[in-house]
Amino acid sequence: MLGIDGCLAEVMSIPGALDAMLVDHTSGMAVAFSTAVGVDADRSAAALTEALRATTDGLARTCPGDVVRIDDMLVTTDKGHHLLRLLETVFEGPLVIYVRLDLERSNLALARHRLRTISSRLTA
């Protein structure tokens, strides 16, 4: 089983990773982070949690009666890719792995594959 610090180190080893964070999805608090200078990890974690909740709510309203479960979410901006992976853990409640990837140096397919592998080792 992969620990939280090991998880964060492996996420940061993804080619093109600029910063990463583990977020408690229930509370919106940063559990662990490796962020750029000047980034408030706690505020970022809370904002990411709200974006995920809004997305889930929007999908639930769009598909009434369906069970909405997000595995991962990708947002691309003019400066990078933002990839979030939701997972249930043996810890207290669900976690979100967040990684910001360099737009030019990253490979999204590889990053998604690596996050899937990392998350499965964290939840084992």
Side-chain angles (χ1 to χ4, degrees), residues 99-118:
V99 61
R100 182 172 60 101
L101 301 162
D102 182 271
L103 194 62
E104 302 297 323
R105 297 183 307 120
S106 61
N107 176 322
L108 284 175
L110 175 64
R112 287 186 71 211
H113 174 72
R114 292 277 303 272
L115 277 184
R116 222 174 302 135
T117 301
I118 293 166

Side-chain angles (χ1 to χ4, degrees), residues 13 22 33 41 45 48 77 112 121:
S13 74
L22 286 173
F33 53 90
L48 290 170
T77 64
R112 287 186 71 211
R121 290 180 55 215

Side-chain angles (χ1 to χ4, degrees), residues 36-95:
V37 176
V39 173
D40 183 336
D42 289 325
R43 288 184 67 166
S44 295
L48 290 170
T49 301
E50 286 304 311
L52 284 166
R53 286 184 183 141
T55 301
T56 303
D57 184 50
L59 290 172
R61 291 173 188 267
T62 303
C63 309
D66 289 354
V67 175
V68 176
R69 185 175 141 304
I70 297 174
D71 291 327
D72 58 20
M73 188 166 100
L74 168 68
V75 176
T76 301
T77 64
D78 61 341
K79 296 192 179 187
H81 302 292
H82 304 263
L83 188 55
L84 296 98
R85 175 107 182 134
L86 286 79
L87 56 144
E88 288 293 329
T89 65
V90 293
F91 310 111
E92 306 250 344
L95 286 180

